[in-house]
Amino acid sequence: IKFLTEKGAPNAVYMLTLRSLCNYFRNQSANHVAVYRRSAVFDAISPFLQSADKNTRMACATLMLK
């Protein structure tokens, strides 16, 4: 989540961070972390739902559906 809150990073960093979170939360043992930190994750990814980059928006949507 730290990488999502840093300003000025290239768009690829945001997209890869979102995809990494998707992969992390796919793991059954990480589900408790997803539930516990749900509000922090949603707060961190919400600005990227309006991203100009299609892949970043897709990664956000995928993460929200997990």
Side-chain angles (χ1 to χ4, degrees), residues 10-48:
N11 285 339
V13 171
Y14 299 129
M15 184 193 57
L16 290 174
T17 301
L18 291 166
R19 286 185 177 179
S20 296
L21 284 171
C22 287
N23 290 337
Y24 176 72
F25 290 146
R26 183 187 308 169
N27 186 347
Q28 189 69 2
S29 64
N31 280 340
H32 70 283
V33 177
V35 171
Y36 181 73
R37 300 288 311 249
R38 178 181 51 212
S39 64
V41 170
F42 283 161
D43 290 343
I45 68 171
S46 62
F48 298 101

